[in-house]
Amino acid sequence: EARKTILWQQTIQELFAEGTDVLHLACEEARRAGVVILGGARMSDAHHGGQWQARSDNPLFPQIVMDHPEWCNTWQDGSVDATLHYAFPEVRAHYLGILREMASNYDIDGLELDWMRFCRHFPAGRQREHLDELTEFVRDVHTMLGEVARQRGRGRLILAHRVAPTVE
Protein backbone atom coordinates (compact mmCIF):
# COMPACT_ATOMS: atom_id res chain seq x y z
CA GLU A 1 0.00 0.00 0.00
CA ALA A 2 2.84 2.41 0.83
CA ARG A 3 4.45 1.65 -2.54
CA LYS A 4 1.22 2.55 -4.34
CA THR A 5 1.09 5.86 -2.47
CA ILE A 6 4.69 6.67 -3.43
CA LEU A 7 4.03 5.82 -7.09
CA TRP A 8 0.86 7.93 -7.04
CA GLN A 9 2.78 10.89 -5.58
CA GLN A 10 5.58 10.52 -8.14
CA THR A 11 3.07 10.38 -10.99
CA ILE A 12 1.31 13.54 -9.80
CA GLN A 13 4.66 15.34 -9.41
CA GLU A 14 5.71 14.33 -12.94
CA LEU A 15 2.41 15.55 -14.40
CA PHE A 16 2.76 18.89 -12.60
CA ALA A 17 6.37 19.21 -13.81
CA GLU A 18 5.12 18.75 -17.39
CA GLY A 19 2.53 21.48 -16.88
CA THR A 20 -0.39 19.07 -16.94
CA ASP A 21 -3.54 20.21 -15.14
CA VAL A 22 -4.28 17.11 -13.08
CA LEU A 23 -7.82 18.21 -12.28
CA HIS A 24 -8.64 18.40 -16.00
CA LEU A 25 -7.34 14.85 -16.39
CA ALA A 26 -9.37 13.64 -13.43
CA CYS A 27 -12.50 15.27 -14.86
CA GLU A 28 -11.93 13.67 -18.28
CA GLU A 29 -11.50 10.21 -16.77
CA ALA A 30 -14.50 10.58 -14.47
CA ARG A 31 -16.65 11.84 -17.36
CA ARG A 32 -15.57 8.82 -19.45
CA ALA A 33 -16.62 6.56 -16.58
CA GLY A 34 -20.01 8.28 -16.41
CA VAL A 35 -19.77 9.41 -12.80
CA VAL A 36 -20.97 12.65 -11.22
CA ILE A 37 -18.04 14.97 -10.58
CA LEU A 38 -18.08 17.35 -7.63
CA GLY A 39 -15.19 19.71 -7.10
CA GLY A 40 -14.33 19.64 -3.40
CA ALA A 41 -13.20 22.59 -1.33
CA ARG A 42 -12.09 22.59 2.29
CA MET A 43 -13.62 25.73 3.69
CA SER A 44 -11.32 26.08 6.70
CA ASP A 45 -8.25 23.93 6.34
CA ALA A 46 -5.45 24.22 8.88
CA HIS A 47 -3.07 21.45 7.84
CA HIS A 48 -0.48 24.21 7.67
CA GLY A 49 -0.68 24.82 11.44
CA GLY A 50 -2.86 26.30 14.11
CA GLN A 51 -1.11 29.60 14.79
CA TRP A 52 -0.73 32.54 12.42
CA GLN A 53 2.76 33.16 11.03
CA ALA A 54 4.15 36.12 9.09
CA ARG A 55 6.24 33.72 6.98
CA SER A 56 6.05 30.00 6.40
CA ASP A 57 7.98 27.55 4.26
CA ASN A 58 5.03 25.15 4.42
CA PRO A 59 3.51 25.04 0.91
CA LEU A 60 0.08 24.47 2.51
CA PHE A 61 0.21 27.77 4.45
CA PRO A 62 -1.98 30.18 2.42
CA GLN A 63 -0.50 33.49 1.32
CA ILE A 64 -3.74 35.28 2.18
CA VAL A 65 -3.37 34.15 5.81
CA MET A 66 0.21 35.47 5.99
CA ASP A 67 -0.76 38.75 4.32
CA HIS A 68 -3.92 39.43 6.32
CA PRO A 69 -3.77 38.40 9.98
CA GLU A 70 -6.62 40.87 10.56
CA TRP A 71 -8.89 38.51 8.55
CA CYS A 72 -7.97 35.49 10.68
CA ASN A 73 -9.88 33.87 13.50
CA THR A 74 -8.68 34.16 17.06
CA TRP A 75 -8.33 31.58 19.79
CA GLN A 76 -10.08 32.06 23.13
CA ASP A 77 -6.83 33.47 24.59
CA GLY A 78 -6.84 36.16 21.86
CA SER A 79 -3.94 34.74 19.82
CA VAL A 80 -4.33 34.68 16.05
CA ASP A 81 -5.44 31.42 14.45
CA ALA A 82 -4.22 30.38 11.00
CA THR A 83 -7.75 30.07 9.60
CA LEU A 84 -9.84 32.79 7.97
CA HIS A 85 -12.85 34.50 9.59
CA TYR A 86 -15.91 34.34 7.30
CA ALA A 87 -17.49 37.50 8.76
CA PHE A 88 -15.03 39.52 6.65
CA PRO A 89 -16.40 40.28 3.16
CA GLU A 90 -12.86 39.94 1.77
CA VAL A 91 -12.61 36.38 3.05
CA ARG A 92 -15.95 35.42 1.53
CA ALA A 93 -14.97 37.07 -1.78
CA HIS A 94 -11.65 35.18 -1.75
CA TYR A 95 -13.33 31.81 -1.31
CA LEU A 96 -16.09 32.66 -3.79
CA GLY A 97 -13.43 33.48 -6.40
CA ILE A 98 -11.76 30.10 -5.89
CA LEU A 99 -15.08 28.30 -6.17
CA ARG A 100 -16.05 30.28 -9.29
CA GLU A 101 -12.73 29.37 -10.91
CA MET A 102 -13.30 25.68 -10.20
CA ALA A 103 -16.90 25.74 -11.44
CA SER A 104 -16.09 27.78 -14.56
CA ASN A 105 -12.85 26.15 -15.68
CA TYR A 106 -13.47 22.44 -15.07
CA ASP A 107 -16.02 19.96 -16.39
CA ILE A 108 -17.65 19.35 -13.04
CA ASP A 109 -21.28 18.74 -12.07
CA GLY A 110 -21.07 20.93 -8.98
CA LEU A 111 -19.21 21.69 -5.78
CA GLU A 112 -18.96 20.10 -2.37
CA LEU A 113 -18.07 22.53 0.41
CA ASP A 114 -16.33 20.71 3.24
CA TRP A 115 -17.15 22.64 6.40
CA MET A 116 -15.92 19.74 8.55
CA ARG A 117 -12.19 20.01 7.98
CA PHE A 118 -11.09 21.81 11.16
CA CYS A 119 -14.51 23.55 11.62
CA ARG A 120 -12.92 26.93 12.34
CA HIS A 121 -14.88 29.53 10.37
CA PHE A 122 -15.28 32.13 13.14
CA PRO A 123 -13.42 33.03 16.34
CA ALA A 124 -13.72 30.45 19.10
CA GLY A 125 -16.95 30.81 21.05
CA ARG A 126 -18.47 33.34 18.63
CA GLN A 127 -19.97 31.04 15.98
CA ARG A 128 -23.62 31.96 16.58
CA GLU A 129 -22.88 35.69 16.14
CA HIS A 130 -22.00 35.16 12.48
CA LEU A 131 -24.61 32.75 11.16
CA ASP A 132 -26.07 35.42 8.86
CA GLU A 133 -22.72 36.01 7.14
CA LEU A 134 -22.26 32.31 6.49
CA THR A 135 -25.81 31.99 5.19
CA GLU A 136 -25.17 34.94 2.87
CA PHE A 137 -21.97 33.30 1.62
CA VAL A 138 -23.73 29.99 0.85
CA ARG A 139 -26.45 31.96 -0.96
CA ASP A 140 -23.75 33.70 -3.03
CA VAL A 141 -22.17 30.33 -3.92
CA HIS A 142 -25.58 28.99 -4.97
CA THR A 143 -26.20 32.08 -7.13
CA MET A 144 -22.74 31.81 -8.70
CA LEU A 145 -23.33 28.14 -9.56
CA GLY A 146 -26.59 29.11 -11.27
CA GLU A 147 -24.76 31.75 -13.34
CA VAL A 148 -22.02 29.30 -14.34
CA ALA A 149 -24.59 26.63 -15.23
CA ARG A 150 -26.38 29.09 -17.55
CA GLN A 151 -23.07 30.13 -19.15
CA ARG A 152 -22.18 26.48 -19.74
CA GLY A 153 -25.66 25.65 -21.06
CA ARG A 154 -26.34 23.28 -18.15
CA GLY A 155 -29.60 22.97 -16.28
CA ARG A 156 -27.91 23.30 -12.91
CA LEU A 157 -24.78 22.60 -10.91
CA ILE A 158 -25.02 20.74 -7.62
CA LEU A 159 -24.14 22.41 -4.31
CA ALA A 160 -23.32 19.85 -1.62
CA HIS A 161 -22.03 20.34 1.92
CA ARG A 162 -20.23 18.39 4.63
CA VAL A 163 -21.37 19.92 7.89
CA ALA A 164 -20.89 19.47 11.61
CA PRO A 165 -23.81 18.19 13.71
CA THR A 166 -24.00 21.46 15.71
CA VAL A 167 -23.08 25.13 15.22
CA GLU A 168 -20.57 24.84 18.03
Side-chain angles (χ1 to χ4, degrees):
E1 193 62 34
R3 180 163 161 61
K4 285 182 186 178
T5 300
I6 291 169
L7 290 174
W8 176 83
Q9 290 172 339
Q10 288 173 340
T11 301
I12 296 295
Q13 288 171 348
E14 288 174 17
L15 289 168
F16 275 126
E18 293 174 0
T20 301
D21 188 325
V22 177
L23 188 51
H24 275 298
L25 279 181
C27 289
E28 286 175 16
E29 289 304 310
R31 190 65 65 210
R32 252 192 289 277
V35 299
V36 172
I37 308 162
L38 297 180
R42 292 177 177 168
M43 304 311 294
S44 190
D45 198 346
H47 276 103
H48 51 279
Q51 296 295 112
W52 177 84
Q53 299 173 39
R55 297 270 176 251
S56 176
D57 294 332
N58 184 336
L60 298 176
F61 206 103
Q63 190 66 45
I64 189 172
V65 169
M66 288 185 276
D67 292 346
H68 295 284
E70 71 277 15
W71 296 346
C72 292
N73 288 310
T74 53
W75 293 103
Q76 287 183 334
D77 67 2
S79 63
V80 180
D81 186 2
T83 59
L84 293 168
H85 184 336
Y86 276 84
F88 288 98
E90 298 88 349
V91 170
R92 295 191 308 270
H94 172 75
Y95 278 107
L96 186 62
I98 292 168
L99 297 170
R100 181 182 299 279
E101 180 180 337
M102 198 179 337
S104 298
N105 296 339
Y106 295 92
D107 185 20
I108 60 176
D109 297 304
L111 295 171
E112 179 196 51
L113 309 185
D114 183 353
W115 300 100
M116 289 295 298
R117 188 64 76 162
F118 294 94
C119 293
R120 297 191 328 243
H121 316 298
F122 300 110
R126 297 183 51 206
Q127 296 87 338
R128 289 191 182 274
E129 290 177 40
H130 300 291
L131 292 177
D132 290 343
E133 288 98 337
L134 202 54
T135 300
E136 178 186 335
F137 173 74
V138 171
R139 189 178 297 122
D140 291 346
V141 173
H142 184 265
T143 300
M144 176 273 296
L145 287 174
E147 293 167 1
V148 171
R150 282 188 293 284
Q151 291 167 359
R152 290 175 49 195
R154 304 266 312 254
R156 69 183 182 110
L157 293 175
I158 298 165
L159 178 55
H161 301 270
R162 288 186 193 190
V163 296
T166 69
V167 173
E168 287 75 26

